[in-house]
Amino acid sequence: MILLHTSLTSKTTLFLTAAILSVSALAADFNQTQYLADQADAKAQYSLGLAYYNGQGVRQDYSKAAKWYQKVANQGDADADADADADAQYMLGLMYDQGEGVRQNNATAKEWFGKSCNNGLQVGCNKFQQLNAK
């Protein structure tokens, strides 16, 4: 019985150590992403927006998600990542359409969906057409 208890204690200790290391790695990744986002890295800004939107590794916060998506969406220059730009514009469209973290506004939603469509995101085109039909 003592052997079984020792084995269980070892497994528990191993599990807790792995969990602590995972949390540490997540925090380091988040800090690195935050640093890059603060340096105007479009992919990092989009990643932070997504993390806050979905509550991945941080408390879900639609307002912070919108802030980071807005930074990406407004870059629109040659240095910005085109996919992150269109995706951020689409997410802003969704947020304005649904009133998540921003005041609900169909005209602004339509504008963001249109921009994402113009940047090649088909789902943005679809949402733009849906709002046009209303």
Side-chain angles (χ1 to χ4, degrees):
M1 190 64 163
I2 293 175
L3 183 60
L4 179 62
H5 179 66
T6 303
S7 177
L8 182 59
T9 302
S10 295
K11 287 179 184 177
T12 302
T13 303
L14 184 60
F15 173 76
L16 290 174
T17 302
I20 289 168
L21 290 174
S22 294
V23 168
S24 273
L26 251 161
D29 285 347
F30 183 82
N31 289 340
Q32 178 67 17
T33 302
Q34 178 79 52
Y35 172 78
L36 292 171
D38 289 337
Q39 304 302 311
D41 181 286
K43 286 183 182 179
Q45 290 172 335
Y46 181 77
S47 292
L48 283 182
L50 199 57
Y52 280 112
Y53 186 83
N54 292 315
Q56 295 172 323
V58 293
R59 178 171 287 162
Q60 188 175 46
D61 187 328
Y62 292 137
S63 294
K64 286 184 181 179
K67 171 191 136 183
W68 286 110
Y69 289 145
Q70 188 85 41
K71 287 178 184 263
V72 179
N74 285 334
Q75 284 187 23
D77 60 23
D79 294 334
D81 181 277
D83 289 337
D85 190 42
D87 290 339
Q89 291 165 342
Y90 175 78
M91 289 303 296
L92 281 169
L94 280 180
M95 295 179 83
Y96 277 100
D97 187 41
Q98 299 170 8
E100 294 175 328
V102 293
R103 179 167 287 164
Q104 195 276 336
N105 186 316
N106 286 336
T108 304
K110 185 176 162 183
E111 179 182 337
W112 284 117
F113 287 137
K115 287 180 180 185
S116 71
C117 179
N118 291 340
N119 282 316
L121 193 63
Q122 182 59 47
V123 69
C125 298
N126 298 344
K127 291 295 281 183
F128 181 82
Q129 289 172 350
Q130 284 177 354
L131 286 180
N132 249 353
K134 286 184 179 180

